[in-house]
Amino acid sequence: NAGVTQTPKFRILKIGQSMTLQCTQDMNHNYMYWYRQDPGMGLKLIYYSVGAGITDKGEVPNGYNVSRSTTEDFPLRLELAAPSQTSVYFCASSYQTGVANYGYTFGSGTRLTVV
Amino acid sequence: AQTVTQSQPEMSVQEAETVTLSCTYDTSESDYYLFWYKQPPSRQMILVIRQEAYKQQNATENRFSVNFQKAAKSFSLKISDSQLGDAAMYFCAYRSYANAGGTSYGKLTFGQGTILTVHP
């Protein structure tokens, strides 16, 4: 089982460049999330999606955009990269029906450096 | 909004000894989940243990157990017979039980983390 796959694993961007972080899951999970982890800190939610075509902002959405055209894919777009976006990015997915949640699966993370 | 606090930035333990990591949280909800995640240098987030707030019994997973004190909003992790492979950053996390008014959507709220060092 592949689980949640993130690409790339590492990336260096110059200030003002744009890029897309890819995330794919093969577990038919309805919920997907993007978190960022700054050095020595916990994860903070950037965006989330409860199903194809439905996305919403988390705690720290500024500078990012997402889309969810399929159940499997949830790419994160950085426009005009800034040094403050230097972080490790995690994609995650979970299956939820009603009030029951069946746990999270995390990707292995993308380390992004903006110089 | 919920908050999660881990007051111990770093902890250390001797191999084979027991260590307890602390976590407190703030919420007005009565039903929720609590988690401990382990993050080794590989960056992978690994679920260690999970507790449902409606369950009075403390969760256990092999050498890992929790002390869940709902009234005190405390959720500590005990690691028994510590092993070198337990060395990692540990995160406490909170998740709402239901999609209350569409405000939670299953998101996890994390503490700042505790770095655990295991000495041989």
Side-chain angles (χ1 to χ4, degrees):
Chain A
N1 291 336
V4 176
T5 302
Q6 286 184 241
T7 56
K9 294 191 183 304
F10 303 93
R11 183 73 184 267
I12 298 175
L13 277 182
K14 293 184 178 179
I15 294 171
Q17 288 186 321
S18 300
M19 76 164 294
T20 299
L21 280 64
Q22 302 291 345
C23 177
T24 300
Q25 54 94 6
D26 63 357
M27 298 168 287
N28 202 33
H29 284 176
N30 50 351
Y31 285 29
M32 295 188 75
Y33 312 84
W34 275 105
Y35 288 86
R36 60 176 285 173
Q37 182 182 21
D38 297 330
M41 303 294 289
L43 283 66
K44 293 187 177 180
L45 183 65
I46 305 171
Y47 269 95
Y48 64 91
S49 169
V50 301
I54 305 170
T55 63
D56 208 345
K57 298 177 181 178
E59 302 170 77
V60 290
N62 292 342
Y64 307 94
N65 279 299
V66 295
S67 60
R68 183 109 182 261
S69 57
T70 66
T71 299
E72 296 79 17
D73 300 310
F74 190 43
L76 178 72
R77 177 80 177 165
L78 279 72
E79 306 281 1
L80 299 176
S84 61
Q85 294 178 303
T86 294
S87 191
V88 177
Y89 292 83
F90 287 94
C91 180
S93 70
S94 70
Y95 184 74
Q96 180 144 350
T97 174
V99 301
N101 179 276
Y102 297 89
Y104 260 56
T105 301
F106 282 91
S108 57
T110 296
R111 181 178 294 278
L112 175 67
T113 302
V114 182
V115 297
Chain B
Q2 294 79 28
T3 59
V4 177
T5 302
Q6 293 177 248
S7 59
Q8 305 156 316
E10 297 183 27
M11 291 285 285
S12 64
V13 64
Q14 291 292 132
E15 197 175 5
E17 298 292 309
T18 295
V19 64
T20 298
L21 308 184
S22 300
C23 173
T24 59
Y25 58 95
D26 188 30
T27 184
S28 59
E29 299 174 335
S30 58
D31 292 318
Y32 46 87
Y33 298 102
L34 294 165
F35 305 86
W36 280 98
Y37 280 91
K38 171 185 178 181
Q39 187 181 45
S42 67
R43 291 202 310 256
Q44 186 68 42
M45 294 292 287
I46 302 166
L47 178 63
V48 175
I49 201 164
R50 155 185 169 142
Q51 175 82 43
E52 287 88 344
Y54 67 86
K55 292 185 177 179
Q56 294 184 344
Q57 186 173 7
N58 289 326
T60 62
E61 288 287 343
N62 301 314
R63 298 182 295 107
F64 298 88
S65 61
V66 299
N67 184 3
F68 174 49
Q69 301 289 328
K70 190 173 184 179
K73 297 179 181 175
S74 171
F75 183 60
S76 60
L77 175 69
K78 185 171 82 171
I79 306 174
S80 303
D81 186 25
S82 296
Q83 301 176 359
L84 295 177
D86 295 333
M89 173 84 92
Y90 286 81
F91 291 101
C92 179
Y94 174 103
R95 194 185 78 78
S96 295
Y97 187 66
N99 292 336
T103 59
S104 68
Y105 289 112
K107 76 169 188 177
L108 288 171
T109 300
F110 287 86
Q112 305 92 321
T114 297
I115 298 172
L116 178 65
T117 302
V118 181
H119 298 289

